[in-house]
Amino acid sequence: MDYQELFPVPVEWLQDVDRSMARTVADWADAEVIAGRLEHKEDYDALLLPAMRKLLVDIGLQSMLWPEEMGGGGLGTPDAAMTLAAVIEQVGRADSGIAFVLANTFALQSAFAIEPYKNEALLEHMAPVVCGKDPVIASLILPSYSKDPDAAAFYGLPYQAAAKRDADGWLLSARDARPQCSGAGAYAFGVACAGESDEPMLVLVAPHLRGFSTGEPFKKTGLAASINADITMDGVRAADAQVLLQGTTRMRGMLAWYYTLCAAACSGALLATYDIIKEWGDTRVIKGKGQVFKENPLVASLLGEIGGKMAMGRLLTFNAARLLSAPNLYGPAGSPPVATAATAAFKLAARGAMEAMDNTMELMASAGYATEWNLERYWRDVKTLESCVLPETVAQTDLARHYFDLKEL
Amino acid sequence: MDYQELFPVPVEWLQDVDRSMARTVADWADAEVIAGRLEHKEDYDALLLPAMRKLLVDIGLQSMLWPEEMGGGGLGTPDAAMTLAAVIEQVGRADSGIAFVLANTFALQSAFAIEPYKNEALLEHMAPVVCGKDPVIASLILPSYSKDPDAAAFYGLPYQAAAKRDADGWLLSARDARPQCSGAGAYAFGVACAGESDEPMLVLVAPHLRGFSTGEPFKKTGLAASINADITMDGVRAADAQVLLQGTTRMRGMLAWYYTLCAAACSGALLATYDIIKEWGDTRVIKGKGQVFKENPLVASLLGEIGGKMAMGRLLTFNAARLLSAPNLYGPAGSPPVATAATAAFKLAARGAMEAMDNTMELMASAGYATEWNLERYWRDVKTLESCVLPETVAQTDLARHYFDLKEL
Amino acid sequence: MRTIDDFTRPLEYLAPVDKHLGDIVRAWAEREVMPYRRQYDEDWEAHRLIEPAFRSLMGELGFQRMLFPEDVGGWGFGHSGYTATIACRAFEEIARADSGMAVAFGVLFWPLVMICNEPHVNRRLCEELAPMFCDTTAPCFAANAMTEPQGGADIENMEIVGGSTIETTAVLDGDEWVINGHKLWPTNSGGVADLFGVVCTTKAGSRDLDDFAFIFVPAKNPGCTQSGPYQKAGMAADKNGDIWFEDCRVPSWYRAHGPGLDAMYFKEVISFGNMGSTAFVVGALMNVYEILKDFCTEQTYRGKPLKENDDIAGVLADFARDIDICRILAYQCARMIDRPDLYGERWSDEIVAKGRGYKYFACDRAVEDLKKAMNIMGAHGSDRLWDVEKHWRDVKIVQLWMGGKQLCQMEVARWFYECETL
Amino acid sequence: MRTIDDFTRPLEYLAPVDKHLGDIVRAWAEREVMPYRRQYDEDWEAHRLIEPAFRSLMGELGFQRMLFPEDVGGWGFGHSGYTATIACRAFEEIARADSGMAVAFGVLFWPLVMICNEPHVNRRLCEELAPMFCDTTAPCFAANAMTEPQGGADIENMEIVGGSTIETTAVLDGDEWVINGHKLWPTNSGGVADLFGVVCTTKAGSRDLDDFAFIFVPAKNPGCTQSGPYQKAGMAADKNGDIWFEDCRVPSWYRAHGPGLDAMYFKEVISFGNMGSTAFVVGALMNVYEILKDFCTEQTYRGKPLKENDDIAGVLADFARDIDICRILAYQCARMIDRPDLYGERWSDEIVAKGRGYKYFACDRAVEDLKKAMNIMGAHGSDRLWDVEKHWRDVKIVQLWMGGKQLCQMEVARWFYECETL
């Protein structure tokens, strides 16, 4: 399916490497996930994990940003934003949960593996694992609501972890912190907390560290690819070298990558939705009159609405990625215009995706709801993304802060 | 106000000429329209007509696409799409009605003044007037609903005019056809009708032709800059040279220009809305607690929503313009992907603009509704655009036709 | 052939006089308003066309007497048990023709609600004020002077500001109130009103609701001046302007009820405003239904009448559905006001909050639906010939008045979720 | 402290037994469903947890007898004048705990509506079928076998296809109907139902509504087979599957009423479905209101409980408002079914069309509101611990069933605009 022909985004932004990677991943999506989903549904062990392994290790996605001399793909420049948007969109077409896990993984990597913030020592340290034979996924532990009204907060939203400085670095503590994904399977966590002078910082934490404990996996709406569980940290020690970034601008820069890649995951889910409803609309006959479903004016009107949202989702995603990929033109990822564009891209893409998928289910009626037709899993996934990544009201305030120069919120 | 800093669009698309034109027109907007609107409101003779004259003749906008050797601006290449998007956005900030009139004028010009469809003879013929001392505006007469179910139609939507072939060319007839704008003031009309083999064509008609009559100007919601009236044609003669284009692809190409420029007009109205609500939010105090309006979380949330729509409107507009400006990369304006992107850009930009302006009025309450605060005129204008340019259901079907490959509608 | 009378009303709630009064108002609207309303926009300042229609309805047919007790010349609806339900019907019928007119008509009763309605009739004030309305065939208007320049509808936000933002003061000097302050925006100002109900404070800055005062001021009193009307996007029949009170004196017993009670019963004014707004919106929508039905039967697309195109029928369906729903809500809201024995006092937080909910729901639906109706009509959606754009412009202001949507949301949240600091 | 009982109902409409029955169902739901519902998703196939709760409500408490006449062992609600209003309350209470369960419970009565409701009680069939439901403490389910593989809910689109798309045939052979066909998707199929009401035709391809037949088929009859349940995004208590009828024979008098009448009264089934769907949605929303209130009181943002943040309060307000509105509509819809003397026959095009309107309105609001509720809850919106995501998944199917939104729109458009070709 030539989605570019259907929903054009400015192809001039994409380089050969982006297109070639996207094609490879598109083939992976069809062969490793889509071909197996009727039989295996969302089975983690039988379908999703093997597919992730293939993608991350065999195709080598997880080490894409690492320098070639360390065994990686050598793509650690801001241009990677375009590559990742194109790739994660295709992953999302296969499974939006895997795409979401990748968004976490690469957002974390963006903090230390991409120019001008390359941390050679850390890259070197992690290279054997990341460029090795096992899938390595990461997860973010971001600010969230809290029962404690006095908790330190990032723009009003409490951090889930607290960091205490001592001579040797930091001691992290958290009680039942909710990771964005994969609490029970991530190799590394990026933990947001308040550092010196209450400046935000992101700390790299691994689950094998002393004082780190993982709760029972909990049941949730979607994202079968993410086995999630709450995390508790009792004085987990982190050296200064584990502090991936400090300061509001750097934190917003990392989040800009995260939101953009999550937008790409939503866009991918919409491509999958497109394939499903396209086939339904082409083959179904209604009104007992031999009217092909899609040729009914009311159906067509909704299809137009759905297609418009798909086009918009792609445009928002690739535009945000473009802004990230060219800091020389648009400023750093954490600058207010770029970071805000990423927030808007995610929020509007996720909302549009939910609307388009809801409308699609309305067209397919019960079939939209039945596992067999494959649509409902994307619908559950994207809804999970929409609520977990960034609560609506928080996003709205983020946008208003930049556009209207808020001082207090 | 640096709107690019607020709502970034890929600046790489804009060339120096685009930015310089936009700056000139931005100055015009502030000096010639915005400075006078409190005193003159929407007075056509006292405010809008002099401003249009300045813009079209003194600044030379109306002859921008004409070759330099004929006295024009020499910008008759597809690049003009970017220039016009940037310029019409600024015009729309001043007055969305003037922007709409320009969208009509340049959509018509796009049919014969832009490569590869330059019609040298026609350009030559019109140069004395267009490059002259009086404002020259044009208007489209597009398909619309009809009481006659058997009328020839463009994708189901009846043409307002009928063309009959004879040895000397065409005879056009229409009864109370509704032009898009300026029925009572346009120098030229582009009349859509069915030509040979029922192929769509656009015919250039001037009001001085025999058999052409103009009804009384009618009252309407907005667009004070357009004095509109219904048009009747009783066998108006048109030579073959007046046929500006033929065939579905060419017609859709012209419409793609039109929709893109109308999207720019909506985007401009949103910039004006931004300026108005920004000032309101900065200066108003509520809750008797000295809370600055914009710092109230509920207000901020709506401001975030409004700002997001503004960003999206700009992005849709400039993306559609970019696709038009680079046919080597994206195909001709009338190709389904580009034409559909333009339709989507207009439809979503207009809808988003209405939502943003409705929300803004809700924030300003009665002040949003009072003439004095200047918002309500943009709100009336954009609503008029939204319904007149392309009825919602027709747009939805257009989108579905491309995205879902409709055969019958 | 379906008509607007096919939209659902809870039949159990209707007043015995519903049909009789409804027929009268409908006939009046079709005779004296609908043929002329398309010219109202240009009549916003002079009211040359608008005033005679008001005269006919309010003065000659006598509807301005509705609320006063019978023995002072009124129709006695203030103790009928159907006050709100009757008003709801009348508002619908008037708004079908012109919602600006419906608002102006409705607001005439707004201050009177404070003194004419059981169980808090102020006999002395009724007797004093009734002749202005009941002994004349000229239209007599009243208005509630509430909003002030800074903070706007904050005045209505009594839960949070407790009247502390009211800057209009009333000081007792002997047996007279001396009122000073600046109000703006009330319906029926701009030179129209003959009588104001003035929201003021007996102690500037006080949060004590005992200091909240509602005092009647005849517009012709010395010290009371009005500006001309503002120009607005629509609703020409509703004039709005500034009002200044400068050492304006009225008898001490022109205060509606006194400390505490003024604030309490003032919420009943809000309840009536909520019901009225919902009814205005329903009336406007019902007229657009009539218009749309004609338009979509007469005009064709894809070789068929518009309404026979499934996509357009879908929009038409949503439109009709929303009218049916809003109409049910308007009458349920009216019923809850009319029957405090079943639903609680009409000035209770519950009735106010729920009414706010119906009001902002109906307004939001109406604005959305009218936008879509205009989109369906294409090139004709915005010309005045079809009156749809007029209703769209008018209904928008119903959405915006009375503090707009956000204030409604905060009252609903406060009541249903026991919020304490909003 | 506000509770779900503070949402408005038209008090005038309530059945005398409303409180009594409502209390019983609520206690049952809180005791036997709510503590276990979080595990229902995994129980979709076996119903190990779900079946006992049904047994208790339907069999032991006896609610499955509600509709049958008293003299055959039922509770006689079919002639109570409050049939729909009582059902509405019961549906709300069950759906508050689990809307899948409410749907399964509601659909049990769907075929019975055809024969148990005044004025069209089929005494002979009541007597024949009552023992299945009334002489047992085991749960007994029924289902309407309507939808067919091609065209889906086209079956319900009777105005346009006139039954011509029904491929399930009933042929009279002596004093027996012989039924052949393939149905899918009905609630309570997938092996659950003991009794089917089968929508079929006595003449394949006919548009004559005399050929439309509604015939009862006990599930254990030879020739009637069911598939196992489909796996779905939610609503585990409602099983759906394929049903095949192969030369399946029933007595000739198992047809509900006969030519013309079957088609006519079948619309009453639709009316009950509309009312029920609206009530399901209200019940689910009321439970989410309870949860949201807890969540937004307990969790903080900007140093304050979520509900004290104006932006979040705004969303909470919309949520509460919509419940209040949908609940009023559910009871108005029920009342219109219960009182044909006031509102017209419950199988009339008007009642069906208006009910479709309320149904799709409530479902659309609910889906939107639940999406926003999940967004408010951030990281907890999608975990099962709070049950909000469950209601979201469940309510979505209420929106999709019975032909989904588009069919509702077409019926509303047909009725209000007299469309003829939709």
Side-chain angles (χ1 to χ4, degrees), chain A residues 303-331:
Chain A
L303 289 174
E305 184 68 29
I306 291 166
K309 300 265 170 61
M310 291 169 177
M312 201 182 71
R314 293 202 89 204
L315 183 56
L316 287 163
T317 300
F318 283 94
N319 180 62
R322 176 59 188 155
L323 299 181
L324 288 178
S325 76
N328 55 321
L329 291 174
Y330 303 106

Side-chain angles (χ1 to χ4, degrees), chain D residues 173-417:
Chain D
D173 179 26
D175 59 355
E176 284 185 333
W177 289 107
V178 183
I179 299 175
N180 279 285
H182 178 196
K183 297 283 187 179
L184 34 81
W185 267 109
T187 286
N188 294 341
S189 55
V192 167
D194 304 288
L195 178 69
F196 290 106
V198 182
V199 169
C200 49
T201 179
T202 57
K203 189 172 165 195
S206 165
R207 292 180 164 272
D208 184 344
L209 289 179
D210 283 355
D211 297 316
F212 176 100
F214 189 95
I215 300 177
F216 285 87
V217 178
K220 64 173 171 18
N221 265 33
C224 173
T225 50
Q226 299 182 54
S227 74
Y230 313 141
Q231 193 173 1
K232 315 190 299 291
M235 229 183 226
D238 163 25
K239 286 196 193 179
N240 316 92
D242 291 65
I243 313 154
W244 294 271
F245 301 99
E246 290 169 284
D247 292 332
C248 184
R249 289 174 173 267
V250 294
S252 62
W253 45 276
Y254 271 38
R255 180 171 182 176
H257 297 284
L261 296 177
D262 280 3
M264 183 166 94
Y265 295 135
F266 183 67
K267 290 193 192 162
E268 181 172 334
V269 170
I270 305 295
S271 287
F272 270 87
N274 291 330
M275 177 278 294
S277 302
T278 311
F280 303 151
V281 154
V282 169
L285 289 178
M286 290 202 298
N287 186 227
V288 176
Y289 160 79
E290 301 174 283
I291 295 165
L292 270 184
K293 198 168 163 183
D294 284 350
F295 185 88
C296 292
T297 303
E298 162 188 315
Q299 300 282 328
T300 68
Y301 171 40
R302 303 190 188 109
K304 294 189 284 199
L306 291 187
K307 72 177 184 179
E308 302 290 349
N309 285 270
D310 296 40
D311 45 355
I312 290 170
V315 182
L316 294 177
D318 292 357
F319 200 91
R321 174 198 74 170
D322 286 352
I323 298 174
D324 207 51
I325 288 169
C326 290
R327 199 176 196 204
I328 290 169
L329 293 177
Y331 282 90
Q332 181 65 33
C333 184
R335 178 68 165 183
M336 288 160 74
I337 292 174
D338 280 338
R339 293 299 300 270
D341 54 321
L342 291 171
Y343 293 98
E345 296 301 350
R346 47 177 89 104
W347 53 81
S348 68
D349 289 344
E350 175 177 357
I351 298 297
V352 171
K354 288 182 172 179
R356 292 264 194 202
Y358 310 142
K359 186 260 182 187
Y360 88 89
F361 169 80
C363 291
D364 285 1
R365 290 314 315 143
V367 169
E368 284 310 306
D369 287 335
L370 287 166
K371 282 161 75 174
K372 288 185 181 158
M374 288 175 73
N375 285 352
I376 278 189
M377 296 177 73
H380 299 281
S382 58
D383 76 31
R384 275 210 215 154
L385 191 66
W386 289 91
D387 299 314
V388 172
E389 63 89 35
K390 167 201 163 51
H391 282 300
W392 167 69
R393 287 184 284 122
D394 289 353
V395 159
K396 186 74 193 172
I397 206 172
V398 182
Q399 183 190 43
L400 300 176
W401 83 329
M402 286 182 68
K405 175 168 176 171
Q406 282 72 39
L407 184 59
C408 293
Q409 288 180 309
M410 294 305 97
E411 286 214 27
V412 171
R414 267 196 292 262
W415 195 77
F416 276 108
Y417 299 90

Side-chain angles (χ1 to χ4, degrees), chain B residues 41 145-147 149 156 178 219-221 284-285 287-288 302 358 361 369 371 376 383-384 387 397, chain C residues 150 152 154 231 233 298 300-303 371 374-376 378-379 382-384 389 393 396-397 406 422:
Chain B
K41 303 210 163 71
Y145 304 133
S146 157
K147 291 188 185 174
R178 169 73 47 98
K219 290 187 175 138
K220 56 194 171 11
T221 305
R284 191 120 177 122
V285 175
K287 286 210 169 182
L302 263 175
D358 269 319
M361 287 177 96
Y369 199 80
T371 305
E376 59 88 24
K383 186 67 218 167
T384 310
S387 59
T397 311
Chain C
Q150 185 55 38
D154 249 16
Q231 193 173 2
E298 165 188 314
T300 68
Y301 170 40
R302 302 189 188 110
K371 282 161 77 174
M374 287 174 73
N375 286 352
I376 280 188
S382 58
D383 76 31
R384 276 212 215 152
E389 62 88 37
R393 288 184 284 122
K396 186 75 192 170
I397 205 170
Q406 282 72 37
L422 292 181

Side-chain angles (χ1 to χ4, degrees), chain B residues 147-326:
Chain B
K147 291 188 185 174
D148 174 10
D150 301 320
F154 183 66
Y155 290 119
L157 199 60
Y159 294 107
Q160 297 196 74
K164 216 172 120 180
R165 179 96 207 152
D166 72 4
D168 298 326
W170 297 91
L171 284 170
L172 300 183
S173 56
R175 177 120 345 260
D176 293 331
R178 169 73 47 98
Q180 288 282 300
C181 71
S182 309
Y187 170 79
F189 293 87
V191 180
C193 49
E196 315 217 44
S197 332
D198 277 344
E199 281 281 278
M201 65 177 183
L202 190 72
V203 183
L204 186 69
V205 173
H208 60 75
L209 296 176
R210 187 203 302 248
F212 189 105
S213 58
T214 308
E216 277 301 301
F218 60 87
K219 290 187 175 138
K220 56 194 171 11
T221 305
L223 302 178
S226 149
I227 312 284
N228 208 357
D230 289 344
I231 298 299
T232 292
M233 292 188 276
D234 282 320
V236 169
R237 173 156 297 286
D240 281 333
Q242 284 165 257
V243 176
L244 299 177
L245 59 84
Q246 278 184 298
T248 300
T249 302
R250 286 293 314 279
M251 182 66 90
R252 294 204 67 192
M254 187 277 297
L255 290 173
W257 280 78
Y258 184 47
Y259 298 153
T260 301
L261 301 182
C262 287
C266 295
S267 184
L270 281 180
L271 298 186
T273 303
Y274 176 80
D275 294 340
I276 293 166
I277 185 63
K278 177 71 166 58
E279 190 197 337
W280 181 268
D282 285 349
T283 55
R284 191 120 177 122
V285 175
I286 59 161
K287 286 210 169 182
K289 290 187 288 193
Q291 186 174 52
V292 176
F293 194 62
K294 69 179 180 182
E295 304 286 353
N296 175 276
L298 180 55
V299 172
S301 175
L302 263 175
L303 289 174
E305 184 68 31
I306 291 166
K309 300 265 172 62
M310 291 169 176
M312 200 183 72
R314 292 202 90 203
L315 183 57
L316 288 163
T317 300
F318 283 94
N319 180 62
R322 176 61 187 154
L323 299 181
L324 289 177
S325 74

